[in-house]
Amino acid sequence: MDARSLSYDVVVVGGGATGLAAAVAAARAGARTALVERYGFLGGMATAGMVSTICGLYHTSSSGPPEPLNAGLAETVAQRLATMPGCSAPVRRGRTHVLPYTPFAFACLADELTASARDLDVYLHAFLAGLDTSAGRIEALRLATWERRIELTARAVVDASGDAAVAHLASVATVTVPLPDRQLASLVFVLQQVDTDALGPGPRVALLRLLASAEREGRLPKGAANLALAPSPQPGEVVCKLALSGITEELPANRDFLTLAEQEGRRRALAVTEYLKTLPAFARAFVSHAAPQVGVRESRGVIGRYQLTRDDVLSGRKFEDGVARASWPIELWQEGSHGATYEFLHDGSSYDIPLRCLQARDLDNLFVAGRCMSATHEALGSARVIGTCLATGEAVGRAAAHYAEAR
């Protein structure tokens, strides 16, 4: 097996929205950059999780057109994605705007952005196998691919893994919310041949009540009614998001949470589809595809040089070292609740995410962004969304490049 060492200014681990933005920004700032991703495509929750709408790109407002929060890559991605096949312009959802898109379009756009960035090497199907630290710094990262082993030396490292994988291997201080208190994961799956004309807002509410009754009566598995569904822009297609409540109650000591969540999510998706097929609008429905992985909202986070708080979010706090703006409400998917709860900022207001939230406390050259940034449980409920991840990723990519240049 080929094993060799390569030298980079910046290594970004995790190719989701955060890592994509960080790697492109670092390369554009003149840093020789590597982007490491475990799947065969970029996008993270935007593609592997099939979220299908980008939240956090626009100001919160009760009326008026969408107003972009952050210039730069977040705005570029939004503008280009809206013109791609199967995607659309932003749409209003209550006091927010979201951008509908197709996961394949996002993956293709990610390929285009990385290909256009000079001095950026992308490693797909690559797993972080280990790393070396010395004198308060990460010196090298060891990757395993199907074809070879590679060692990447780096002046600066960005942990955009979503699960603080780099920080965990480096024994950096992290925090993990206990499973029962963690935001629920969700499985996204898609139904075809649905009479979507019969699924207006009123009928959808009635349908969710039917599902809840079926679960109470034992005609659906426990948790199968915790469903949100909406017609996509494609004829006859409905996107379903199944919040995976109750998984922790069933987790044996010898099972990993994600393994059980994946298997139980598919079981529930099949069960709820069979029930829906007894209703006229769904008589011909079938599951055409499901997300390659359950959508994780919260796992392990890095202890940074500052921890973003609920009060920072809701008060619209500004920071001297603010590097990205956000205004998505605090959105929490909690055990025991159907759907999410929301706490909104005032219309038109936003808060800053300071660079200190994106710098590990314990290692000089480790930066973090995305859902493993330094934030409380409640603050992360706002800051974890894809639009904000694009903005924090770009900011941390630039910061990592500047750090590397100074070394």
Side-chain angles (χ1 to χ4, degrees):
M1 181 182 289
D2 179 30
R4 56 178 175 152
S5 180
L6 300 169
S7 179
Y8 289 95
D9 298 316
V10 177
V11 174
V12 180
V13 176
T18 305
L20 166 67
V24 170
R28 287 179 177 177
R32 184 161 188 248
T33 305
L35 176 58
V36 179
E37 168 55 39
R38 61 177 173 161
Y39 287 123
F41 49 88
L42 301 173
M45 290 298 100
T47 49
M50 282 178 32
V51 173
S52 302
T53 53
I54 297 182
C55 306
L57 289 168
Y58 310 104
H59 279 283
T60 297
S61 64
S62 299
S63 60
E67 297 181 27
L69 268 170
N70 293 284
L73 273 169
E75 190 170 16
T76 297
V77 168
Q79 290 174 346
R80 291 182 63 178
L81 201 56
T83 66
M84 297 181 73
C87 305
S88 73
V91 297
R92 176 171 287 281
R93 295 265 180 92
R95 294 175 60 190
T96 66
H97 283 90
V98 299
L99 185 70
Y101 71 95
T102 64
F104 185 74
F106 194 105
C108 291
L109 178 57
D111 289 339
E112 292 173 15
L113 290 170
T114 54
S116 67
R118 293 182 59 188
D119 296 322
L120 172 56
D121 294 334
V122 177
Y123 296 88
L124 300 179
H125 295 294
F127 294 83
L128 180 63
L131 49 79
D132 298 322
T133 60
S134 175
R137 295 169 45 83
I138 295 174
E139 300 290 347
L141 302 97
R142 294 186 295 279
L143 308 184
T145 75
W146 181 82
E147 299 168 277
R148 54 185 172 162
R149 290 174 295 152
I150 316 169
E151 181 178 89
L152 307 182
T153 61
R155 290 189 172 93
V157 178
V158 177
D159 189 339
S161 65
D163 302 313
V166 177
H168 184 61
L169 278 177
S171 299
V172 168
T174 60
V175 60
T176 304
V177 176
L179 273 173
D181 303 323
R182 200 177 298 173
Q183 288 220 57
L184 297 176
S186 288
L187 175 67
V188 177
F189 61 98
V190 178
L191 298 177
Q192 305 292 344
Q193 296 190 13
V194 178
D195 180 6
T196 53
D197 291 338
L199 288 181
R204 272 199 304 240
V205 171
L207 174 60
L208 295 179
R209 288 174 179 160
L210 276 176
L211 292 174
S213 296
E215 183 182 328
R216 284 194 303 269
E217 295 164 4
R219 291 180 287 132
L220 281 175
K222 185 177 180 180
N226 203 350
L227 185 73
L229 72 169
S232 84
Q234 318 313 319
E237 184 176 85
V238 171
V239 178
C240 303
K241 298 183 180 182
L242 182 61
L244 298 177
S245 54
I247 300 292
T248 57
E249 301 170 13
E250 304 171 9
L251 185 63
N254 63 340
R255 296 290 302 279
D256 289 338
F257 169 75
L258 279 180
T259 299
L260 185 59
E262 297 280 7
Q263 295 171 337
E264 181 63 17
R266 287 188 288 271
R267 185 178 80 91
R268 294 181 188 181
L270 283 173
V272 78
T273 301
E274 288 303 307
Y275 177 82
L276 289 172
K277 287 170 66 175
T278 66
L279 307 176
F282 295 87
R284 299 172 60 239
F286 66 95
V287 178
S288 61
H289 56 290
Q293 75 154 87
V294 296
V296 177
R297 294 184 170 94
E298 185 175 28
S299 57
R300 183 189 297 117
V302 174
I303 301 296
R305 300 177 187 184
Y306 180 80
Q307 187 179 52
L308 191 72
T309 68
R310 174 179 178 274
D311 184 64
D312 293 335
V313 171
L314 295 179
S315 67
R317 186 173 177 185
K318 306 298 188 287
F319 294 89
E320 288 186 5
D321 62 335
V323 291
R325 295 194 299 173
S327 74
W328 191 255
I330 294 177
E331 176 189 343
L332 298 177
W333 295 75
Q334 303 287 78
E335 196 69 67
S337 298
H338 273 224
T341 61
Y342 295 89
E343 287 186 276
F344 284 85
L345 284 74
H346 295 297
D347 275 8
S349 67
S350 64
Y351 63 93
D352 286 352
I353 296 177
L355 182 61
R356 286 169 293 157
C357 287
L358 311 179
Q359 294 173 294
R361 185 190 67 188
D362 300 338
L363 285 179
D364 287 344
N365 68 335
L366 178 59
F367 297 82
V368 298
R371 75 168 187 264
C372 59
M373 64 177 279
S374 183
T376 65
H377 169 70
E378 292 82 4
L380 189 66
S382 168
R384 63 174 176 77
V385 293
I386 295 171
T388 307
C389 285
L390 287 166
T392 57
E394 180 178 15
V396 86
R398 286 198 301 265
H402 295 156
Y403 177 96
E405 184 180 23
R407 293 305 183 272

